[in-house]
């Protein structure tokens, strides 16, 4: 009995250590990559810069976008990868955050908000936070009925929700007199974020800000995954009836994670608004929702680390196609980008159905296992003199 | 005193009467077995009592509280748990994590505690791990705590499912054919486990086709056929009941002894 107990205790330590070291490696890789690229761009050693080094492929602008998408994707991965609930309307929440920030920082006077508030440096931050709460609350209310649906039905319902929000943004929330969302043209002249008098701009500063939030969100996501909430999400994914049978309030849990993913999307939306200084509804339509799902799948659905790598891989791929396709095949038109993008996606998903992160991890494990096996065979043959 | 009282329970699926006016009581602390040929309505009975399906009519009471209309998770939280005939472990988790989910309702820390990994969350997680490991120890799965639940044999998955249900500290556990697919040795372990549960004061309702197991440990047996109760009594009484023998005529599982 004692003999049995000891390895159990050791193994339980072992698993923790593995999870810890995996996360540690994730952080390390990301920090080194971003830190290195940020450093080159900010310090510009020996007149080098990121665009010069990479032929215009990598810019701080692009890396900032990766950060923004990562924030959305962490939420989406919790929802889709862990809980198994599809959302084809996640861009709606992204858009809600973006427009909430845009409207309340540019049309405050029209809304009767005193200048003493709306001119204060912290106003935009307050709006960002309020936007998260509001979007989260909206998602909870929408989520309670629609998350009862499963599979394709849920996909259709979230898709419908995305369309409704998109149309509302485009049609001025159905009250054209106020012209809050600016209709098709959207809202522009959105102020930069500030801390006191310190303006978080140009992009070098904004890049640091966005990635500060991104790391925070990744850390929170990892903590949730390893908590009672994370386990419940996976339980729901595996068997809803079994989860219920042990006292898990399945519908409530699903609505909660939907709300959390929406709040994260809203945060990213707000940060996007202050990054672009202009927002238009077209950015937050079905195409964007689809792209988010693609990034999520490419990175690896059931992994928080899939988020940054999925976002990076897809943005890089699109940029590559945009700039290189014409070099390789002169005279091709824009549609070929979309076709090539689609074909590459299919190739990626067939070769690594669990996404890049899990796929590469598995490939590495296979490679290591093969190497160990080879060594073992060699060692066992040695005494026989059969090397 | 009765822990479970079912009165004139009916369940209709379209034209099929899966259960018809079934009435029985389970006393606190006993091992109550439900047997009957395939399609007799045993699993349906579990589905109704556990809240997975709504009853067509009739009444179910647990500790005098009416169960009709309660949701599955509410019923489980009251200490009435069930396992499934078709095993439903969480294959995407480790064995230990499966049991930890079973103890979900016994943990309190909030989403914020979890996201920030506050001391409250960490302390509770630690206790939760220990509690879950203790349940695995009870059923003999502790050495495999950190393996994927999907890697367990069929029989072990059944045992894991029981451990997961036991993690709730239930007062009443309903086991749906826990012996199906188990090896002879595993059935003996199961037999011992059920008796140990009884000693701990847990009431066991058991649906099982293995008559040797049933007749060996059940205090009372109820027999269902075509959704109706045809007999009830001690194992000995049931084995000598004319209707029961007729119902099982031709079936090679019964009678024994
Ligand atoms: N969800 C359902 N929808 C329609 N019919 C059902 C449903 N569940 C059970 N039935 C029917 O109800 C009857 C009783 O089925 P049930 O599964 O309760 O039997 P059982 O006694 O558990 O049988 P077994 O020993 O094979 O497990 C069967 O005729 C079955 O086809
Ligand atoms: Mg059955």
């Amino acid at each position: 009995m004692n003999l049995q107990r000891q390895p159990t205790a050791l193994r339980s330590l072992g698993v923790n250590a593995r999870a810890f070291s995996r996360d540690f490696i994730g952080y390390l890789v990301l920090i080194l990559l971003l830190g290195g690229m940020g450093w080159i761009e900010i310090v510009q050693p020996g007149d080098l810069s990121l665009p010069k080094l990479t032929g215009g492929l990598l810019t701080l602008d692009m890396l900032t976008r990766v950060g923004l998408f990562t924030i959305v994707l962490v939420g989406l991965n919790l929802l889709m990868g862990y809980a198994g609930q599809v959302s084809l309307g996640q861009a709606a929440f992204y858009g809600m955050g973006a427009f909430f920030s845009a409207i309340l920082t540019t049309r405050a006077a029209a809304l009767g908000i005193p200048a003493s508030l709306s001119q204060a440096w912290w106003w935009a931050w307050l709006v960002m936070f309020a936007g998260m709460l509001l979007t989260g609350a909206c998602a909870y209310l929408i989520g309670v009925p629609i998350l009862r649906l499963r599979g394709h039905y849920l996909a259709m319902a979230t898709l419908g929700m995305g369309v409704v929000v998109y149309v509302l943004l485009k049609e001025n929330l159905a009250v054209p007199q106020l012209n809050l969302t600016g209709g098709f043209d959207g809202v522009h002249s959105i102020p930069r974020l500030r801390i006191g008098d310190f303006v978080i701009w140009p992009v070098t500063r904004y890049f640091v800000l966005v990635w500060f939030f991104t790391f925070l969100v990744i850390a929170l996501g990892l903590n949730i995954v390893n908590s009672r909430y994370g386990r419940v999400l996976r339980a729901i994914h595996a068997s809803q009836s079994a989860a219920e049978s042990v006292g898990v309030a399945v519908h409530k849990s699903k609505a909660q994670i939907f709300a959390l993913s929406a709040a994260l999307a809203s945060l990213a939306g707000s940060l996007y608004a202050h990054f672009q200084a202009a927002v238009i509804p077209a950015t937050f339509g079905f195409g964007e929702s689809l792209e988010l799902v693609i990034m999520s799948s490419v990175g690896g659905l059931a992994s928080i680390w899939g988020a940054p790598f999925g976002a990076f891989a897809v943005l890089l791929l699109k940029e590559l196609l945009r700039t290189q396709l014409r070099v390789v095949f002169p005279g091709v038109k824009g549609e070929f980008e979309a076709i090539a993008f689609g074909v590459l996606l299919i190739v990626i998903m067939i070769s690594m159905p669990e996404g890049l992160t899990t796929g590469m991890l598995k490939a590495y494990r296979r490679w290591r296992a093969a190497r160990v096996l080879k060594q073992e065979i060699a060692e066992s043959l040695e005494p026989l003199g059969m090397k | 005193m009765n822990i479970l009282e079912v009165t004139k329970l009916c369940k209709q699926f379209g034209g099929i009467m899966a259960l018809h006016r079934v009435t029985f009581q389970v006393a606190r602390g006993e091992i109550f077995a439900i047997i009957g040929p395939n399609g007799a309505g045993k699993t349906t009975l579990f589905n109704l009592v556990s809240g997975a399906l709504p009853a067509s009519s009739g009444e179910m009471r647990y500790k005098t509280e009416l169960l009709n209309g309660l949701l599955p998770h509410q019923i489980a939280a009251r200490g009435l748990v069930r396992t499934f005939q078709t095993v439903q472990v969480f294959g995407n988790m480790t064995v230990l994590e499966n049991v930890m989910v079973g103890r979900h309702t016994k943990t309190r820390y909030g989403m914020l505690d979890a996201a920030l990994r506050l001391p409250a969350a960490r302390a509770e997680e630690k206790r939760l791990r220990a509690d879950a490991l203790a349940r695995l120890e009870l059923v003999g799965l502790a050495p495999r705590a950190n393996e994927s639940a999907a890697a367990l044999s069929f029989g072990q998955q059944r045992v894991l499912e029981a451990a997961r249900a036991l993690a709730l500290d239930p007062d009443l556990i309903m086991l749906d054919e826990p012996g199906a697919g188990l090896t002879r040795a595993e059935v003996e372990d199961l037999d011992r486990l059920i008796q140990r549960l009884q000693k701990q004061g847990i009431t066991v309702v058991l649906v099982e086709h293995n008559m040797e197991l049933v007749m060996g440990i059940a205090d009372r047996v109820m027999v269902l056929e075509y959704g109706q109760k045809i007999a009830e009594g001690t194992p000995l009484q049931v084995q000598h009941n004319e209707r029961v023998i007729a119902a099982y005529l031709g079936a090679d599982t019964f009678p024994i002894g």
Side-chain angles (χ1 to χ4, degrees):
Chain A
M1 205 61 196
N2 249 334
L3 276 177
Q4 270 184 352
R5 234 174 240 164
Q6 223 165 9
T8 307
L10 283 177
R11 251 180 272 164
S12 88
L13 260 179
V15 157
N16 280 340
R18 254 206 310 272
F20 172 77
S21 74
R22 197 181 51 214
D23 292 343
F24 182 73
I25 290 170
Y27 281 123
L28 200 70
V29 169
L30 214 54
I31 287 175
L32 285 180
L33 270 176
L34 289 166
M37 293 190 284
W39 181 76
I40 291 177
E41 192 60 12
I42 293 165
V43 180
Q44 310 225 330
D47 214 25
L48 279 176
S49 76
L50 213 48
K52 264 191 219 163
L53 273 176
T54 59
L57 213 54
L58 290 181
T59 58
L60 277 199
D61 190 88
M62 185 258 199
L63 292 175
T64 305
R65 264 167 229 281
V66 171
L68 291 174
F69 279 124
T70 301
I71 295 174
V72 186
L73 292 179
V74 167
L76 196 57
N77 282 0
L78 286 173
L79 183 70
M80 296 209 329
Y82 285 89
Q85 309 299 309
V86 179
S87 171
L88 289 183
Q90 209 66 7
F93 302 128
Y94 189 39
M96 279 165 80
F99 270 89
F100 193 72
S101 275
I103 292 167
L104 281 166
T105 55
T106 60
R107 308 234 206 284
L111 291 168
I113 295 161
S116 57
L117 281 180
S118 64
Q119 296 303 313
W121 68 267
W122 43 260
W123 174 250
W125 298 98
L126 185 71
V127 168
M128 187 184 292
F129 187 67
M132 285 176 73
L133 290 183
L134 187 82
T135 309
C138 273
Y140 192 89
L141 292 179
I142 301 170
V144 167
I146 70 172
L147 289 165
R148 282 174 193 279
L149 304 171
R150 298 196 193 185
H152 304 310
Y153 298 101
L154 178 62
M156 293 309 282
T158 51
L159 189 129
M161 176 202 75
V163 171
V164 168
V165 171
Y166 170 67
V167 171
L168 278 177
L169 291 178
K170 215 176 62 177
E171 299 300 330
N172 258 311
L173 310 176
V175 268
Q177 309 87 287
L178 289 178
N179 194 31
L180 281 179
T181 69
F184 205 77
D185 301 325
V187 180
H188 46 85
S189 312
I190 302 164
R192 300 294 175 196
L193 287 169
R194 282 182 293 154
I195 297 175
D197 284 334
F198 183 79
V199 181
I200 306 179
W201 198 257
V203 70
T204 41
R205 288 183 190 172
Y206 209 76
F207 164 79
V208 174
L209 174 81
V210 165
W211 276 98
F212 167 75
F213 275 108
T214 307
F215 272 106
L216 204 66
V217 167
I218 289 177
L220 298 189
L222 288 172
N223 281 345
I224 287 178
V225 162
N226 296 319
S227 76
R228 64 194 286 246
Y229 294 99
R231 283 191 298 270
V232 159
L233 297 183
R234 284 182 283 160
I236 291 173
H237 198 170
S239 166
Q240 200 159 308
S241 45
E244 279 175 338
S245 83
V246 287
V248 173
V250 168
H251 293 302
K252 191 176 143 205
S253 302
K254 286 203 273 189
Q256 268 179 350
I257 202 66
F258 196 51
L260 180 70
S261 78
L264 289 177
S266 174
L267 169 67
S270 292
L271 288 169
Y272 172 82
H274 292 288
F275 173 55
Q276 290 288 299
V279 290
I280 53 168
T283 316
F284 308 106
F286 173 63
E288 189 76 352
S289 287
L290 193 65
E291 189 150 316
L292 287 168
V293 172
I294 290 172
M295 286 179 180
S296 214
S297 323
V298 167
L301 275 172
S303 104
I304 295 294
W305 289 112
F309 295 104
F312 185 69
V314 169
L315 287 187
L316 189 70
L317 195 62
K318 285 179 65 172
E319 194 63 21
L320 257 174
L321 290 175
R322 198 174 62 79
T323 55
Q324 304 301 311
L325 206 60
R326 241 156 277 204
V327 180
V328 185
F329 304 105
V332 298
K333 296 216 179 63
E335 295 89 71
F336 282 89
E337 269 171 56
I339 295 173
F341 182 64
V343 170
L344 279 174
L345 277 183
I346 293 171
V347 171
I348 291 177
M349 291 327 285
I350 287 177
S351 58
M352 292 185 185
E354 287 159 307
L356 287 178
T357 32
T358 313
M360 289 195 298
L361 214 66
K362 280 205 171 151
Y364 168 70
R365 283 210 198 106
R366 267 200 305 273
W367 172 78
R368 204 179 47 180
R371 215 178 51 157
V372 169
L373 188 68
K374 228 192 243 166
Q375 202 172 347
E376 278 173 358
I377 292 174
E379 273 166 19
S380 63
L381 291 182
E382 212 162 353
L384 304 173
M386 292 168 57
K387 247 186 108 176
Chain B
M1 207 198 26
N2 294 329
I3 190 165
L4 184 70
E5 297 188 337
V6 172
T7 316
K8 294 180 184 162
L9 192 64
C10 298
K11 180 66 188 179
Q12 211 167 344
F13 292 113
I16 303 172
M17 259 305 191
L19 284 176
H20 186 63
R21 294 173 73 84
V22 173
T23 299
F24 65 94
Q25 292 87 32
V26 179
R28 203 180 272 268
E30 76 174 331
I31 297 175
F32 186 84
I34 302 172
I35 62 170
N38 293 110
K42 306 178 294 292
T43 300
T44 303
L45 180 62
F46 275 16
N47 283 338
L48 299 193
V49 174
S50 68
L53 292 175
S56 300
S57 65
E59 236 182 56
M60 302 165 288
R61 284 180 186 277
Y62 171 69
K63 294 181 182 171
T64 72
E65 185 189 7
L66 196 64
L67 291 179
N68 300 55
L70 290 182
L71 296 170
H73 74 268
Q74 296 171 323
I75 292 173
R78 281 163 171 72
L80 198 175
V81 296
R82 59 90 58 94
T83 62
F84 296 88
Q85 183 174 353
T86 48
V87 199
Q88 298 202 22
V89 298
F90 306 127
N92 53 355
M93 283 186 238
T94 66
V95 171
L96 185 68
E97 284 172 327
N98 264 269
V99 183
M100 287 168 87
V101 174
R103 228 174 148 65
H104 178 75
T105 52
K106 301 283 170 189
T107 47
R108 286 274 92 81
Y109 69 86
M111 185 79 93
L112 202 65
D113 297 307
L116 300 177
R117 246 183 126 58
L118 296 181
R122 267 191 265 182
E124 249 190 281
E125 276 292 296
K126 208 173 150 193
R127 200 158 357 109
L128 184 57
R129 270 181 176 274
D131 288 345
L133 205 53
R135 300 304 184 291
L136 286 177
E137 207 84 67
L138 179 72
V139 300
L141 277 178
R144 313 199 56 178
N146 287 313
E147 285 174 47
S148 162
L152 295 185
S153 75
F154 187 68
Q156 286 167 327
Q157 291 193 1
R158 276 201 183 288
V159 173
L160 173 59
E161 212 184 286
R164 184 180 68 192
L166 288 172
L168 239 95
D169 292 338
D171 291 320
L172 172 63
I173 184 167
M174 305 194 291
L175 303 169
D176 200 346
E177 301 196 16
L182 264 60
T183 64
R184 213 177 170 77
E186 284 172 333
V187 170
E188 277 164 23
D189 286 342
L190 178 68
D191 190 325
R192 270 194 295 277
L193 175 66
I194 293 175
Q195 290 189 42
R196 191 141 52 153
L197 295 183
Q198 185 179 35
K199 281 207 193 78
Q200 289 177 1
I202 300 173
T203 310
V204 180
V205 176
L206 177 71
V207 163
E208 184 53 62
H209 281 304
N210 183 332
M211 287 307 148
E212 206 176 324
L213 179 67
V214 168
M215 297 307 166
I217 56 172
D219 296 310
R220 285 191 306 137
V221 181
M222 172 171 85
V223 188
L224 288 181
E225 188 193 19
Y226 296 122
Q228 301 198 28
K229 179 164 122 179
I230 57 168
E232 185 183 323
T234 63
L236 212 63
Q237 287 169 340
V238 166
Q239 282 175 64
H240 293 98
N241 184 302
E242 301 276 320
R243 283 190 72 182
V244 178
I245 293 168
Y248 273 95
L249 214 60
D252 52 7
T253 40
F254 191 82
I256 55 146

